[in-house]
């Protein structure tokens, strides 16, 4: 297989002059991977540099070759391993991203790139770091792209300092047809997504929140894509790190999906060591969900769901009393239970 390096430009999958048989735009199919790991209680995403002037981070990308690979997932695993030497664990297809203009550039007549996005889970291992550096890939905290999503230390300051005032101004700009007396007017959508007026913050609405910021023209990607709303603003604050093309949208989809699935699938154990203390398990769950969990309530939840069992060993890594070590009960899947941690859905 001849795969592109991680810095491959998605725009270069085929020559810019290629068109379909009838002269229409050609469509190329690519695969994007939102590869997640957790290290030192920080959720990480694997990103690559495009090697271009703007220097924005991008998710790993490669073309789908139906001749070489029988399925898209096989193709995804193969080129990720070839490019980074990472062996992916859990992989799940997210969504197909194919909006017109998602990779548009002035004067561009190249093939339209339709991307199938995937969520992949792995563990960060020291043995992988050298290969990653050589490939140009690196781990970044995913809250660098979505700082308003991390509620572990309370309500993020960026919401009150920047996001809420700007969104209120945007809502006030709505034409009469979008006023609050109409169903799903912009003010109503913002209220639900961001938990205004006493509504709860739902940690799974990551994509909805990003889409509203994009629609309002408050993120750099909106201006780059030519959204008219971006022209309304001057000197906008930095609302997270921008990404290439629509990669921040793909990442938002992945985060929301993973947060939701924690409640009914044992995916958290793809991101944690084989043996762990209950405190370590709780901290990893908090890192992914972006919110603080009550210690005793969490432990009762773990006991009720029976997803873990003691190993018979203890850990002194906490510096205090030895803590019991646990492991995931893989046989729980044979009992017909999905083995998720049924956390409450909202803050």
């Amino acid at each position: 297989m001849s795969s592109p390096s991680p810095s491959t430009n998605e725009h270069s999958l085929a020559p810019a002059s290629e068109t379909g048989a009838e002269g229409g735009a050609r469509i190329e199919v690519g695969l994007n991977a939102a590869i997640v790991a957790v290290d030192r209680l920080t959720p990480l995403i694997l990103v690559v540099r495009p090697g271009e002037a703007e220097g924005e981070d991008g998710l790993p990308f490669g073309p789908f070759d139906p001749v070489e690979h029988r399925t898209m997932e096989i193709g995804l695993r193969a080129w990720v391993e070839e490019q980074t030497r990472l062996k992916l664990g859990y992989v799940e297809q997210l969504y197909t991203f194919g909006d017109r203009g998602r990779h548009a550039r002035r004067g561009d007549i190249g093939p339209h790139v339709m991307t199938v996005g995937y969520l992949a889970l792995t563990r960060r291992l020291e043995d992988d770091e050298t290969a990653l550096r050589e490939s140009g890939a690196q781990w970044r905290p995913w809250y660098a792209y979505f700082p308003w999503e991390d509620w572990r230390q309370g309500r993020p300051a960026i919401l009150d300092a920047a996001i809420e005032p700007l969104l209120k101004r945007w809502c006030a700009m709505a034409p009469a047809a979008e006023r609050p007396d109409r169903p799903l007017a912009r003010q109503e959508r913002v209220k639900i997504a961001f938990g205004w007026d006493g509504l709860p913050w739902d940690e799974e609405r990551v994509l909805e929140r990003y889409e509203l910021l994009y629609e309002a023209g408050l993120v750099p990607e909106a201006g780059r894509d030519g959204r008219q709303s971006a022209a309304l603003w001057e000197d906008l604050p930095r609302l997270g790190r921008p990404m290439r093309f629509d990669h921040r949208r793909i990442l938002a989809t992945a985060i929301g999906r993973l947060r939701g699935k924690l409640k009914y699938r044992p995916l958290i154990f793809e991101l944690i060591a084989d043996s762990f203390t209950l405190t370590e398990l709780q901290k990893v769950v908090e890192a992914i969900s972006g919110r603080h969990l009550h210690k005793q309530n969490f432990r009762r939840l773990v006991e009720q769901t029976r997803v873990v069992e003691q190993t018979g060993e203890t850990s002194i890594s906490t510096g205090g009393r030895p803590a019991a070590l646990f492991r995931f009960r893989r046989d729980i899947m044979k009992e017909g239970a999905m083995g998720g941690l049924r956390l409450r859905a909202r803050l």
Side-chain angles (χ1 to χ4, degrees), residues 1-9 12-13 61-63 79 82-83:
M1 172 183 178
S2 178
S3 297
S5 69
S7 62
T8 291
N9 188 328
S12 64
L13 286 180
F61 178 89
W79 63 251
E82 181 172 318
Q83 292 173 10

Side-chain angles (χ1 to χ4, degrees), residues 275-290:
S275 60
F276 46 83
T277 67
L278 291 184
T279 297
E280 289 169 340
L281 177 61
Q282 177 179 338
K283 294 299 183 182
V284 173
V285 173
E286 289 177 335
I288 296 297
S289 64

